[in-house]
């Protein structure tokens, strides 16, 4: 970035290059800034909000993660102790880490694939059906708290729809405690998450596919593309690379931050902590116990993990093109 | 003019068509059944909610659950209209600010060149890479520092800093608004603000409609439980979730509640679907 000037250069400018015809970098920069006053007015309101509500909170989190802070006394510096406690003493945190990774590794890629496969198949249909199916697949992700319905369907008594049907058909002989039995909790939570995961990425892929001009496919036939798989691999995917990268970002973010549906389905003290994730552990320490420093340390770790995974996946996808 | 090839795309085998149809049908059923189940629950009379084996569709559909809901809401000491007002106020103000500040910023990022632009662009992209929820703790501290706890601002103002819409809008302006058009307007003496408001914004209507949808969705589902304590400030989803929590006897009313919560964002989406798809077309990551 050209905007960075070292203090050393700054000093050399102040020492009388002022009158020379070629102005120094800092002066040029200053002139550039003044010339673009209007642009700064345009970006200023949003950038200030972004700084106050996104950038500064990240910095505050990092700072607080090295303190003990309970909202009543001022923060007290404790060094790495929060991080050490997390890994050496907090067994539930380790379970949460395992669950979060398992959950993300399964829901992230599968939801990404589902988004693409459904978008690809839907795109070939006639416009009216296409519009209808797009709405149908997208609906669960926009309907506020729609996952609540699954708690009714998987309710542990015989009136729960799933239990009722299975009992009636004689597949089970007593109601299954779907949301309390650790063997079922994680699979159900993953299924519900996939159900509500055809969101922004899905729409992005639909739009990306619609934006590919038919002439590419016609040219492909001349160049020897023989079947649909070759068409997908040699024409569609390369043309959609940018959309695929954007979709990956959204899918990964969602898979790491899941908390709402988990809380709703398996409650705030799940059996054996079978569906407890880092995000829930953060909320628990932050809002229930008011241990803000400890909660911040977890948030910082989650933040770093997310960004690293994102960078890795973006690198991989960039290579595929 | 050389050879003219047929416009037809490659055909698929019949077997392939059947497989695809089946796959789509199973997917569609999986997506639709829970939603249909929620709707059918809402129209069941109370005795049908607890019969064995459970029925998928109501045998004697009724509107009782909805009328019960309104009676319940009328009895609460904060009237339902107040919850509704809270929700609408938060959604409308939050969305308006995000659209206005976001589009101003997106226009400059797409069409102006100034020192620092690359930095802002990469920070916005970076912010899409982690969920805003990791910031709950410092955001809560910021709110209490600003004395915004228990005010609408605690939900409204942070919504103005949502980056997804700005990112989409910047890409859309970049692709859809031609520089020649802006040049022509500048030669005619139009100010930058005039250009933004009268030239760019009308062209990128799909983009700001998309931004409205995304912001609406986000805010509509928010119960605000972290920042709002006073009952008379709470939004509708909170009031409705209290009803759902009311126990077995309220199962029917709870279903009615989830239908109401569901129907509003879906309707808004149906109205704007084509515009949203158009905006997403330019959402790709470009090498910056």
């Amino acid at each position: 970035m050209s905007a960075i000037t070292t203090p050393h250069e700054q000093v050399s400018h102040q020492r009388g290059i002022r009158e020379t015809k070629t102005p120094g970098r800092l002066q040029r920069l200053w002139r550039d800034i003044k010339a673009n006053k209007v642009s700064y007015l345009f970006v200023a309101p949003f950038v200030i909000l972004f700084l106050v509500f996104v950038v500064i909170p990240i910095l505050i989190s990092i700072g607080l993660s090295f303190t003990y802070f309970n909202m009543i006394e001022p923060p007290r510096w404790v060094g790495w102790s929060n991080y050490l406690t997390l890994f050496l003493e907090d067994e539930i945190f380790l379970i949460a880490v395992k669950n979060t990774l398992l959950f993300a590794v399964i829901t992230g890629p599968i939801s990404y694939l589902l988004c693409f496969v459904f978008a690809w198949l839907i795109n070939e249909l006639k416009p009216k059906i296409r519009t209808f199916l797009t709405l149908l697949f997208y609906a669960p992700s926009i309907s506020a708290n729609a996952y609540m319905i699954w708690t009714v369907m998987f309710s542990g008594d015989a009136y729960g729809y799933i239990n009722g049907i299975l009992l009636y058909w004689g597949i089970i002989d007593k109601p299954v405690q779907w949301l309390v039995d650790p063997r079922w909790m994680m699979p159900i939570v993953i299924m519900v998450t996939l159900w509500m995961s055809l969101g922004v990425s899905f729409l992005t892929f639909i739009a990306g596919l619609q934006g590919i001009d038919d002439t590419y496919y016609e040219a492909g036939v001349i160049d020897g593309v023989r079947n649909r798989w070759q068409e997908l691999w040699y024409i569609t995917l390369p043309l959609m690379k940018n959309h695929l990268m954007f979709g990956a970002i959204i899918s990964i973010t969602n898979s790491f931050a899941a908390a709402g549906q988990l809380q709703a389905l398996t409650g705030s003290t799940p059996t054996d902590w079978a569906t407890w994730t880092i995000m829930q552990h953060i909320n628990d320490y932050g809002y229930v116990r008011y241990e803000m420093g400890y909660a911040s340390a977890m948030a910082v770790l989650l933040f770093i993990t997310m960004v690293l995974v994102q960078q890795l996946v973006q690198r991989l996808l960039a290579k595929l093109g | 003019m050389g050879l003219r090839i047929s416009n037809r795309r490659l055909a698929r085998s019949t077997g392939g068509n059947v497989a695809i149809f089946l796959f789509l049908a199973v997917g569609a059923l999986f997506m639709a059944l829970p939603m249909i189940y929620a709707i059918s629950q809402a129209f069941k009379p109370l005795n049908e909610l607890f019969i064995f084996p459970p029925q998928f569709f109501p045998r004697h559909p009724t509107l009782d659950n909805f009328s019960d809901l309104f009676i319940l809401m009328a009895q609460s000491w904060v009237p339902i209209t107040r919850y509704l007002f809270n929700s609408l106020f938060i959604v409308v103000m939050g969305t308006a600010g995000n659209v206005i500040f976001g589009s101003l910023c997106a226009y400059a990022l797409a069409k102006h060149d100034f020192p620092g632009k690359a930095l802002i662009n990469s920070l916005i992209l970076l912010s899409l890479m982690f969920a805003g929820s990791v910031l709950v703790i410092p955001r809560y501290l910021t709110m209490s520092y600003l004395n915004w706890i228990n005010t609408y601002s605690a939900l409204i103002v942070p919504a103005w800093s949502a980056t997804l819409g700005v990112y989409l809008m910047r890409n859309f302006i970049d692709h859809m608004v031609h520089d020649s058009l802006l040049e022509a307007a500048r030669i005619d003496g139009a100010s930058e603000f005039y250009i933004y408001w009268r030239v760019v914004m009308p062209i990128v209507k799909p983009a700001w409609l998309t931004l409205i949808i995304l912001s609406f969705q986000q805010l509509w589902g928010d119960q605000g439980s972290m920042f709002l304590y006073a009952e008379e400030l709470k939004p509708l989803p909170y009031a409705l979730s209290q009803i759902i929590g009311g126990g077995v006897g309220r199962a029917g009313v709870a279903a009615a509640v989830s239908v109401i919560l569901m129907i509003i964002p879906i309707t808004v989406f149906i109205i704007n679907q084509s515009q949203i798809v158009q905006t997403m077309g330019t959402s790709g990551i470009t090498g910056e």
Side-chain angles (χ1 to χ4, degrees):
Chain A
M1 237 192 66
S2 59
I4 294 170
T5 321
T6 62
H8 176 71
E9 282 171 304
Q10 214 168 323
V11 172
S12 68
H13 289 313
Q14 285 161 352
R15 280 193 202 131
I17 323 176
R18 240 177 234 163
E19 300 304 314
T20 53
K21 274 174 194 165
T22 48
R25 278 180 67 189
L26 193 73
Q27 279 159 310
R28 252 184 298 154
L29 176 65
W30 181 237
R31 233 179 25 207
D32 263 5
I33 290 175
K34 276 207 293 204
N36 290 295
K37 258 193 311 222
V38 183
S39 306
Y40 291 105
L41 285 178
F42 272 86
V43 298
F46 183 80
V47 168
I48 291 169
L49 287 163
F50 180 71
L51 287 176
V52 171
F53 293 106
V54 181
V55 179
I56 295 174
I58 294 176
L59 301 178
I60 295 180
S61 276
I62 296 175
L64 279 182
S65 73
F66 294 103
T67 66
Y68 174 83
F69 182 42
N70 57 10
M71 300 276 299
I72 301 164
E73 308 153 48
R76 190 177 76 235
W77 185 261
V78 293
W80 291 93
S81 129
N82 286 328
Y83 291 95
L84 290 176
T85 313
L86 275 175
F87 285 106
L88 300 178
E89 284 163 46
D90 190 342
E91 279 168 34
I92 298 173
F93 174 72
L94 296 180
I95 295 174
V97 169
K98 195 199 79 196
N99 288 339
T100 306
L101 292 180
L102 180 73
F103 185 85
V105 163
I106 295 175
T107 60
I110 294 183
S111 91
Y112 184 65
L113 273 180
L114 285 180
C115 286
F116 182 78
V117 169
F118 281 126
W120 185 47
L121 297 179
I122 285 174
N123 189 51
E124 314 249 317
L125 303 171
K126 296 199 177 67
K128 275 200 179 139
I129 307 186
R130 188 168 69 197
T131 309
F132 173 73
L133 283 181
T134 305
L135 173 68
L136 183 64
F137 282 86
Y138 185 62
S141 76
I142 39 166
S143 322
N145 314 329
Y147 47 76
M148 294 296 291
I149 192 62
W150 290 94
T151 58
V152 182
M153 295 183 73
F154 279 110
S155 165
D157 52 35
Y159 303 115
Y161 190 71
I162 309 277
N163 270 336
I165 288 293
L166 292 178
L167 283 170
Y168 184 66
W169 288 344
I171 297 176
I172 50 175
D173 50 15
K174 60 175 195 291
V176 177
Q177 297 290 321
W178 301 104
L179 301 174
V180 185
D181 183 340
R183 277 176 305 170
W184 291 106
M185 285 156 67
M186 195 53 137
I188 288 173
V189 163
I190 286 174
M191 186 186 77
V192 173
T193 304
L194 291 176
W195 174 72
M196 52 185 271
S197 72
L198 280 87
V200 173
S201 316
F202 173 67
L203 289 184
T204 299
F205 296 159
I206 294 248
L209 287 162
Q210 284 183 18
I212 298 176
D213 204 89
D214 267 352
T215 52
Y216 285 108
Y217 295 112
E218 286 158 17
V221 174
I222 300 175
D223 288 345
V225 169
R226 288 284 154 263
N227 57 47
R228 289 277 170 155
W229 296 114
Q230 288 184 349
E231 195 180 272
L232 174 70
W233 189 254
Y234 292 112
I235 302 172
T236 312
L237 289 181
L239 284 174
M240 282 187 61
K241 190 172 151 197
N242 295 341
H243 294 92
L244 292 171
M245 290 170 76
F246 176 72
I249 291 184
I250 302 296
S251 291
I252 295 170
T253 300
N254 287 340
S255 65
F256 273 100
Q261 71 268 38
L262 296 154
Q263 194 84 25
L265 285 163
T266 54
S268 41
T269 47
T271 323
D272 296 349
W273 307 101
T275 50
W276 194 247
T277 58
I278 302 180
M279 212 44 243
Q280 285 173 290
H281 211 47
I282 294 175
N283 288 337
D284 187 34
Y285 272 92
Y287 292 107
V288 182
R289 306 169 198 228
Y290 285 100
E291 294 201 25
M292 296 296 187
Y294 194 63
S296 295
M298 283 185 265
V300 169
L301 288 175
L302 185 59
F303 169 80
I304 292 172
T305 313
M306 274 198 235
V307 173
L308 284 181
V309 171
Q310 295 278 17
Q311 302 287 358
L312 185 74
V313 171
Q314 292 293 311
R315 290 253 165 87
L316 284 176
L317 285 176
K319 258 183 204 161
L320 282 181
Chain B
M1 261 217 9
L3 101 162
R4 187 185 177 84
I5 56 150
S6 113
N7 254 349
R8 303 264 306 273
R9 301 262 311 270
L10 285 166
R12 245 189 317 253
S13 64
T14 322
N17 274 330
V18 171
I20 286 173
F21 174 79
L22 281 177
F23 187 71
L24 270 180
V26 169
L29 264 182
F30 175 65
M31 299 310 279
L33 279 181
M35 315 279 281
I36 299 172
Y37 186 65
I39 296 168
S40 101
Q41 288 285 86
F43 289 98
K44 281 180 190 169
L46 195 57
N47 60 341
E48 274 187 45
L49 289 169
F50 300 101
I51 46 176
F52 183 84
Q55 303 291 312
F56 197 85
F57 292 108
R59 266 180 278 182
H60 307 285
T62 165
L63 284 172
D64 284 357
N65 293 323
F66 290 91
S67 54
D68 285 354
L69 171 64
F70 286 107
I71 293 169
L72 262 178
M73 294 306 291
Q75 285 166 353
S76 75
W77 66 273
V78 176
I80 186 168
T81 46
R82 178 68 201 232
Y83 290 117
L84 188 64
F85 168 81
N86 292 340
S87 266
L88 287 178
F89 186 75
I90 291 168
V91 169
V92 169
M93 294 302 286
T95 303
N98 194 9
V99 171
I100 293 167
F101 299 135
S103 62
L104 279 167
C105 181
Y107 166 60
L109 289 176
K111 293 298 177 188
H112 290 175
D113 218 358
F114 54 92
K117 174 174 135 170
L119 178 69
I120 299 173
N121 273 330
S122 45
L123 279 179
I124 287 178
L125 185 59
L126 183 71
S127 77
L128 296 178
M129 297 194 169
F130 60 91
S133 46
V134 300
L135 301 177
V136 282
I137 305 288
R139 195 166 279 180
Y140 181 84
L141 299 175
T142 312
M143 291 307 158
S144 50
Y145 178 76
L146 293 169
N147 268 329
W148 282 0
I149 301 288
N150 225 357
T151 65
Y152 293 126
S153 310
L155 293 188
I156 293 172
V157 181
W160 296 349
S161 69
T163 45
L164 179 57
V166 180
Y167 172 81
L168 294 174
M169 198 170 227
R170 189 209 61 194
N171 282 9
F172 197 79
I173 295 175
D174 205 17
H175 282 75
M176 297 291 166
V177 181
H178 292 289
D179 289 339
S180 54
L181 191 64
L182 302 179
E183 281 313 315
R186 280 178 197 134
I187 290 168
D188 287 348
S191 72
E192 279 302 308
F193 187 78
Y194 183 91
I195 293 174
Y196 152 79
W197 189 245
R198 287 301 182 77
V199 181
V200 175
M201 285 303 267
I203 298 178
V204 300
K205 188 174 158 212
W208 48 263
L209 281 174
T210 306
L211 207 154
I212 288 175
I213 302 293
L214 292 173
S215 173
F216 180 94
Q217 240 169 270
Q218 189 71 35
L219 289 164
W220 178 253
D222 198 333
Q223 297 192 8
S225 40
M226 306 220 168
F227 300 123
L228 300 177
Y229 299 119
E231 194 64 28
E232 67 272 18
L233 293 180
K234 293 196 168 172
L236 193 59
Y238 170 82
L240 298 178
S241 76
Q242 292 305 103
I243 290 178
I244 295 182
V248 200
R250 299 239 180 112
V253 180
V257 165
S258 45
V259 168
I260 293 177
L261 276 182
M262 201 189 293
I263 223 101
I264 290 173
I266 291 182
T267 314
V268 178
F269 177 71
I270 292 176
I271 299 169
N272 298 297
Q273 179 167 5
S274 63
Q275 318 265 351
I276 299 176
V277 169
Q278 206 186 335
T279 308
M280 294 299 178
T282 61
S283 65
I285 305 280
T286 47
E288 278 180 301

